[in-house]
Amino acid sequence: MSDARMDLCGSRVRRLGFGTLRLLGPAAFGQPPSRTDAERLLAAAANHSDVIDTADCYGPETAENLIASVLHPYRHGLVVATKGGLTCPAPGVWIPSAAPDRLRRCCEDSLRRLRTDRIDLYQLHGPDPMVTYEHSIEALARLRAEGLIMDVGLCNVSADQLRRAQRIVPISSVQNRYNVGYRADDSLVALAASEGLPFLAWFPLERGSLAAGAAASLTMVAEKHGASRAQIALAWLLHRSGNLVPIPGTGSVRHLEENAGAVSVDLDPEDMRALEGITV
């Protein structure tokens, strides 16, 4: 396997992160079904992962508050990455809102909820079609210059949008949907890798469909290694490129521990070729 760690926000982090979307109610809306279970899961996740990914709209606000209540004060080397620029007024309803003044409020509110003076990685949740893209990026550049955030990341962007942002402020990471069955961003993964940028892969298990689906090659490789389908799907990402950081989420400690086992799966070139044809 390529290096199981990479540099992010001044730390050498393990490349299997944790996404907090699944900690909450349906469609990441509302409180967790069990606060106690969510706290236990988050504490376990921080033992397995060095990158905890969240957003102000998860809940809304609930995920950030949960992170602070469980993990603050944050251990050295733990990167808490959050996002601003999207609203969630109802379950499954996601509305871009990335005007400069709103991004500042989002960041300041996230700082308060996370109980920190500086956010490790602050990510634009996605371009807002009602706002000039450069204006959103300039707002993040100002927050960085003021020391409110350490590093700037981009989510749900194209290569062109990455380049446009880089002309304004250093970009430290990209986060897009990417997995063994959904590889529309192959070229962006390669571009980010060429510049040493971590690529945080969301939906690395495609909402669990890769773990439960019927792809024969995934099953074949899993049986060969005595691993689960989920572990093979995550291992594919870890082998695919040294800059990929899968951020699977789960509501189960058992699934969390299963996912963590992906780092021990050593796929060979034959396995990688067998997995290339999977689609979702």
Side-chain angles (χ1 to χ4, degrees):
M1 181 186 293
S2 58
D3 193 346
R5 294 178 181 261
M6 75 173 306
D7 294 326
L8 180 65
C9 298
S11 295
R12 191 74 177 165
V13 300
R14 289 171 286 186
R15 286 177 49 225
L16 188 63
F18 179 76
T20 59
L21 189 76
R22 297 279 303 279
L23 285 176
L24 310 173
F29 196 85
Q31 296 292 324
S34 165
R35 175 83 180 195
T36 300
D37 289 348
E39 291 176 346
R40 184 181 301 115
L41 175 58
L42 187 54
N47 288 330
H48 287 293
S49 302
D50 297 324
V51 180
I52 305 295
D53 182 78
T54 192
D56 61 358
C57 61
Y58 293 173
E61 304 181 5
T62 308
E64 290 182 333
N65 284 325
L66 184 64
I67 287 169
S69 69
V70 175
L71 302 180
H72 185 273
Y74 306 111
R75 65 169 170 80
H76 177 72
L78 181 69
V79 173
V80 176
T82 193
K83 315 178 196 72
L86 198 67
T87 65
C88 182
V93 179
W94 306 96
I95 302 173
S97 182
D101 58 343
R102 184 175 187 278
L103 285 175
R104 174 171 289 276
R105 290 197 304 274
C106 287
C107 180
E108 291 173 348
D109 288 345
S110 289
L111 284 163
R112 173 178 50 79
R113 285 189 291 270
L114 291 169
R115 305 179 199 171
T116 185
D117 295 326
R118 184 175 68 171
I119 292 170
D120 298 327
L121 179 63
Y122 194 72
Q123 305 161 95
L124 180 65
H125 213 141
D128 181 347
M130 303 303 293
V131 177
T132 301
Y133 180 64
E134 280 75 7
H135 290 172
S136 296
I137 301 301
E138 287 165 358
L140 300 186
R142 287 191 289 271
L143 294 170
R144 179 177 179 271
E146 294 171 22
L148 299 181
I149 60 180
M150 178 186 296
D151 286 342
V152 175
L154 303 175
C155 302
N156 306 308
V157 293
S158 65
D160 175 68
Q161 289 164 334
L162 170 61
R163 289 300 189 215
R164 287 162 60 189
Q166 287 174 319
R167 289 195 285 267
I168 297 170
V169 65
I171 300 300
S172 296
S173 67
V174 173
Q175 182 180 154
N176 281 18
R177 176 187 174 199
Y178 190 77
N179 57 61
V180 67
Y182 183 86
R183 300 188 297 276
D185 276 334
D186 274 346
S187 60
L188 185 55
V189 170
L191 173 61
S194 71
E195 300 185 5
L197 294 180
F199 188 110
L200 280 63
W202 61 266
F203 275 5
L205 297 175
E206 199 61 32
R207 293 183 177 176
S209 65
L210 288 170
S217 57
L218 197 56
T219 299
M220 177 190 71
V221 175
E223 291 176 349
K224 172 183 171 180
H225 289 273
S228 69
R229 292 165 57 92
Q231 288 171 333
I232 297 301
L234 293 171
W236 182 87
L237 285 163
L238 295 172
H239 285 72
R240 168 68 178 80
S241 180
N243 69 318
L244 280 168
V245 181
I247 48 171
T250 180
S252 161
V253 172
R254 180 176 66 84
H255 287 155
L256 171 73
E257 293 174 346
E258 176 187 334
N259 291 344
V263 300
S264 300
V265 178
D266 191 13
L267 300 180
D268 59 33
E270 180 182 353
D271 297 327
M272 297 298 286
R273 286 191 296 269
L275 296 170
E276 282 299 316
I278 295 174
T279 58
V280 293

